[in-house]
């Protein structure tokens, strides 16, 4: 599916070896080259957890520690999410895409698929799962690969150059999956070590402009509507930035937290800690145990069966808004248009039909994920620690829109919480006569037989 709205544009400064939010680097004064990100291009920095995942995946693909030679822990790495059946991210190192890191739900592990440049570099470093051919292969053809193991990724080489990626099947044949079309060479970057501090220095003017624009947006609406301001804070990075911008523009505000009852403990404690440290008054719209009570009636929620949002979010929020702001309020939230197709279509000011007494706006609607991270880092904001444990987004831990890789993170970080949820799923599967793959492959995330469900099954 094509991304319908505006996309993020990023550049790379060869001299500073840093991504840029604008074509001009404000540290060295040079111009960067455009990064070829897949839409919408909302790339974020890789954290040490991500680098560990990447290191293991690369080791699995190559059979040796190729990570330390190919990448290093001191490189600044960008991860750009792709549309895929589970989690898949483009990996940019030193301004070039080395390949895609992706979670294979059937193998239940992370893998890495080389791009053309990634394959070129891997071959230089002694990657040995190689098949030499003397003809140009096409996607879908099979080549004898009996010396490799089932599931191995092999690089197909023609005239000494990588031309395609293939995967070995159970029959000992490698099937070509990806033929390299673009064979653009490497960029000559300084490959110096780059920290988040350095990246901020290269982008500080741009961040300053974004910040000024956002504060002006808040101030103008505040003047226009002359209503009390309430900032929605979910414990996530985007609403943290919106909260900080609002407080620095208008001073003390009320904070609204929608506690769905299925938040992760770290998220709840972050909300209390942040509002407390900023001296703000917190209003909690709590769903209590509504989710668990409703489960016994409705069963698990699905992407095509989102009863959870109404019961855990909209009803408590509407009730709380009516009680606290019967004469309307200006509701500052932290959504960004690059997050989802639905959000890319959101107008600058709107009202939710369920909560009409809140006038909603997002001052960071056009901020990219990288801008958000640079702002958080430079202002030393107390961001939710779950982002550094592999969580890409913060919210209900069993949300049916989650990917299996995210569920695995929940299971690793909060095993007791996950096992409670899993045992409920198992008992529901038993009740309706489904097998364990309905639980473990996450097929419960769809009520009806939609195409992604069929593909995973
Ligand atoms: Zn520079």
């Amino acid at each position: 599916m094509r991304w319908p709205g505006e996309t993020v544009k990023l550049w790379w400064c060869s001299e500073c070896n840093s991504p840029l939010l604008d074509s001009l680097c404000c540290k060295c004064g040079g111009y960067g080259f455009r990064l070829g990100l897949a839409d919408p291009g909302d790339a974020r920095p890789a954290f040490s957890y991500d680098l560990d995942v990447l290191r293991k995946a690369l080791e699995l693909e190559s059979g040796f520690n190729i990570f330390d030679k190919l990448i290093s822990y001191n490189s600044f790495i960008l991860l750009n999410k792709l549309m895929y059946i589970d989690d898949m991210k483009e990996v940019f190192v030193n301004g070039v895409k080395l390949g895609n890191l992706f979670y294979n739900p059937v193998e239940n592990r992370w893998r890495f698929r080389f791009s053309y440049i990634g394959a070129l570099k891997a071959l230089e470093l002694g990657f040995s799962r190689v098949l030499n051919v003397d003809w140009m292969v096409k996607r879908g053809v099979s080549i004898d690969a009996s010396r490799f193991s089932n599931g191995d990724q092999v690089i197909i080489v023609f005239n000494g150059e990588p031309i395609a990626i293939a995967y070995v099947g159970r029959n000992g044949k490698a099937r070509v999956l990806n033929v390299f079309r673009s064979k653009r060479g490497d960029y000559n970057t300084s490959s110096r070590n780059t920290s988040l501090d350095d990246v901020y220095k290269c982008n500080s003017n741009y961040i300053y402009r974004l910040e000024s624009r956002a504060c002006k947006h808040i101030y103008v609406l505040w003047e226009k509507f002359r209503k009390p301001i309430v900032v929605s804070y979910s414990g996530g990075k985007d609403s943290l930035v919106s909260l900080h911008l609002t407080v620095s523009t208008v001073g003390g505000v009320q904070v609204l937290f929608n506690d769905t009852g299925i938040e992760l403990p770290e998220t709840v404690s972050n909300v209390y800690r942040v509002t407390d440290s900023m001296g703000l008054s917190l209003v909690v719209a709590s769903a209590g145990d509504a989710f668990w009570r409703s489960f016994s009636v409705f069963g698990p929620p699905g992407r095509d069966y989102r009863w959870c949002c109404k019961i855990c979010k909209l009803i408590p929020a509407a009730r709380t808004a009516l009680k606290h702001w019967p004469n309307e309020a200006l509701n500052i939230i932290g959504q960004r248009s690059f997050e989802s197709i639905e959000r890319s279509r959101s107008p600058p000011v709107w009202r939710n039909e369920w909560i009409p007494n809140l006038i909603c706006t997002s001052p960071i609607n056009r901020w990219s994920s990288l801008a958000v991270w640079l702002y958080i880092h430079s202002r030393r904001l107390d961001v939710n620690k779950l982002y550094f444990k592999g969580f890409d987004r913060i919210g209900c831990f069993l949300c049916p829109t989650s990917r299996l890789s995210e569920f695995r993170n929940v299971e690793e970080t909060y095993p007791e919480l996950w096992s409670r949820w899993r045992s409920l799923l198992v008992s529901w599967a038993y009740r309706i006569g489904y097998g364990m793959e309905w639980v473990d492959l996450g097929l419960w995330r769809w009520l009806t037989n939609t195409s992604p469900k069929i593909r995973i099954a």
Side-chain angles (χ1 to χ4, degrees):
M1 195 194 295
R2 267 190 71 84
W3 185 260
E6 200 189 343
T7 57
V8 177
K9 292 177 187 65
L10 294 180
W11 290 260
W12 196 275
C13 176
S14 322
E15 177 59 29
C16 304
N17 200 21
S18 160
L20 301 174
L21 296 161
D22 195 4
S23 58
L24 184 67
C25 172
C26 61
K27 189 176 170 202
C28 72
Y31 282 94
F33 58 84
R34 246 318 262 288
L35 283 184
L37 300 158
D39 290 352
D42 197 24
R44 67 164 175 89
F47 302 112
S48 60
Y49 182 97
D50 303 303
L51 299 188
D52 287 341
V53 170
L54 189 55
R55 186 176 52 75
K56 276 187 206 138
L58 278 166
E59 215 166 283
L60 175 77
E61 301 301 343
S62 60
F64 67 101
N65 181 10
I66 196 173
F67 177 89
D68 290 341
K69 292 177 187 154
L70 194 62
I71 304 171
S72 96
Y73 274 89
N74 297 319
S75 306
F76 189 84
I77 297 172
L78 277 179
L79 300 177
N80 182 37
K81 202 163 233 186
L82 297 171
M83 294 192 204
Y84 175 62
I85 199 158
D86 208 79
D87 201 349
M88 185 184 263
K89 298 159 180 138
E90 295 182 306
V91 179
F92 284 83
V93 183
N94 295 334
V96 294
K97 180 181 159 177
L98 288 188
N100 293 339
L101 178 67
F102 64 101
Y103 188 77
N104 184 320
V106 179
E107 295 178 8
N108 190 24
R109 58 185 179 180
W110 288 92
R111 304 224 30 186
F112 186 85
R113 185 177 303 148
F114 293 105
S115 66
Y116 170 71
I117 291 180
L120 211 57
K121 286 177 185 278
L123 293 176
E124 278 169 22
L125 294 170
F127 184 91
S128 62
R129 292 171 188 171
V130 174
L131 280 173
N132 284 291
V133 294
D134 49 13
W135 77 100
M136 287 300 288
V137 296
K138 282 197 179 125
R139 187 187 154 99
V141 302
S142 292
I143 306 163
D144 181 57
S146 45
R147 64 195 166 100
F148 299 113
S149 308
N150 179 23
D152 278 358
Q153 170 182 209
V154 291
I155 299 176
I156 309 292
V157 173
F158 173 64
N159 271 345
E161 201 191 11
I163 55 164
I165 293 294
Y167 284 89
V168 181
R170 263 189 232 110
N171 58 0
K173 297 219 183 268
R175 197 175 148 85
V176 175
L177 184 83
N178 189 20
V179 179
F180 299 132
R181 274 173 300 171
S182 153
K183 292 188 181 163
R184 205 170 54 183
D186 206 349
Y187 285 102
N188 207 3
T189 51
S190 66
S191 53
R192 65 168 63 152
N193 295 342
T194 312
S195 66
L196 212 48
D197 264 334
D198 299 321
V199 178
Y200 176 72
K201 281 177 196 151
C202 298
N203 291 284
S204 57
N205 288 352
Y206 189 88
I207 295 288
Y208 177 74
R209 285 204 302 275
L210 274 182
E211 182 185 23
S212 312
R213 218 177 292 148
C215 292
K216 190 176 161 198
H217 177 88
I218 296 165
Y219 192 80
V220 166
L221 291 179
W222 186 45
E223 282 276 287
K224 181 181 171 187
F225 291 108
R226 300 198 170 265
K227 299 283 179 193
I229 291 189
V230 52
V231 182
S232 290
Y233 182 47
S234 65
K237 68 181 197 317
D238 298 332
S239 54
L240 177 64
V241 170
S242 271
L243 176 62
H244 192 259
L245 289 166
T246 310
V247 170
S248 59
T249 308
V250 299
V253 290
Q254 282 181 297
V255 177
L256 174 62
F257 170 50
N258 192 175
D259 187 352
T260 57
I262 37 177
E263 304 293 326
L264 289 171
E266 179 58 42
T267 301
V268 179
S269 64
N270 173 279
V271 170
Y272 283 92
R273 203 170 58 234
V274 165
T275 46
D276 199 42
S277 70
M278 293 173 89
L280 303 172
S281 80
L282 178 64
V283 176
V284 180
S286 174
D289 62 352
F291 179 85
W292 307 106
R293 279 186 284 116
S294 309
F295 182 92
S296 56
V297 182
F298 300 125
R303 293 185 187 193
D304 46 356
Y305 183 47
R306 294 275 284 273
W307 59 262
C308 47
C309 285
K310 293 187 182 64
I311 286 177
C312 303
K313 286 187 175 167
L314 291 171
I315 294 171
R319 204 180 284 147
T320 307
L322 206 59
K323 182 180 163 199
H324 287 266
W325 306 285
N327 300 314
E328 299 192 328
L330 181 59
N331 185 202
I332 309 291
I333 61 172
Q335 77 176 36
R336 299 182 303 109
S337 66
F338 308 117
E339 284 178 281
S340 67
I341 289 171
E342 193 189 13
R343 290 188 171 183
S344 73
R345 292 178 177 141
S346 177
V349 179
W350 72 97
R351 287 176 199 254
N352 184 310
E353 57 178 329
W354 286 66
I355 317 167
N357 48 326
L358 293 184
I359 305 158
C360 305
T361 192
S362 171
I364 61 162
N365 190 39
R366 295 186 49 201
W367 288 40
S368 64
S369 185
L370 182 60
V372 165
W373 278 112
L374 292 179
Y375 187 82
I376 287 172
H377 180 75
S378 64
R379 305 304 189 265
R380 303 283 183 261
L381 305 187
D382 181 6
V383 70
N384 195 319
K385 308 282 180 291
L386 292 173
Y387 287 113
F388 308 118
K389 292 181 179 169
F391 289 81
D392 252 336
R393 51 180 183 175
I394 301 298
C396 310
F397 77 84
L398 45 73
C399 180
T401 65
S402 302
R403 295 138 195 257
L404 287 179
S405 58
E406 294 176 277
F407 288 154
R408 206 176 82 166
N409 273 350
V410 176
E411 190 179 1
E412 272 173 17
T413 320
Y414 297 102
E416 282 165 23
L417 210 57
W418 187 254
S419 104
R420 178 186 177 194
W421 173 236
R422 192 176 180 281
S423 60
L424 271 181
L425 286 175
V426 169
S427 62
W428 193 267
Y430 183 72
R431 194 168 140 184
I432 56 177
Y434 283 163
M436 277 309 100
E437 72 283 354
W438 181 81
V439 175
D440 293 324
L441 287 177
L443 303 183
W444 60 267
R445 292 173 294 168
W446 296 270
L447 181 70
T448 53
N449 277 326
T450 46
S451 67
K453 182 176 180 176
I454 294 163
R455 273 174 69 197
I456 293 178

